[in-house]
Amino acid sequence: MTSIKISVEVKNQLTFRYNGCDTGIRTWVSHGTKEISDQLLSRMAEQLNLSRQQFPDLIDCKLDEPGLIAIYEEMRLL
């Protein structure tokens, strides 16, 4: 059975876990109220091994679990 989990084990850090294992795919988030700059969005996308075009789809929930897994499998990250 495939399962993914985004866990917060370190303050402000989101970690992608796949089948119960830490994949090393992670990013950090702020709880501030400032708008996130394009530069920071690009860095977060890079940390998650996603293109700048894929990242907004993840944020907007247009990139679903099977789609994200397919991207990571294609990149041989899983």
Side-chain angles (χ1 to χ4, degrees):
M1 178 180 180
T2 300
S3 68
I4 66 169
K5 179 180 179 184
I6 303 295
S7 63
V8 181
E9 296 171 0
V10 177
K11 185 178 180 183
N12 298 342
Q13 179 183 356
L14 300 177
T15 303
F16 180 81
R17 297 180 65 81
Y18 180 72
N19 288 335
C21 299
D22 184 344
T23 62
I25 301 169
R26 58 183 40 88
T27 192
W28 285 260
V29 295
S30 171
H31 293 288
T33 58
K34 288 185 177 180
E35 188 171 317
I36 300 174
S37 69
D38 283 337
Q39 182 179 5
L40 184 54
L41 287 173
S42 294
R43 180 70 182 129
M44 292 173 75
E46 181 181 315
Q47 290 170 343
L48 295 175
N49 296 290
L50 296 173
S51 72
R52 185 61 177 86
Q53 293 74 34
Q54 293 166 324
F55 189 62
D57 288 342
L58 179 67
I59 293 170
D60 294 335
C61 299
K62 294 176 185 173
L63 178 57
D64 61 4
E65 179 179 331
L68 186 59
I69 290 171
I71 290 168
Y72 288 153
E73 286 177 338
E74 184 176 308
M75 298 172 75
R76 298 179 185 243
L77 296 173
L78 301 180

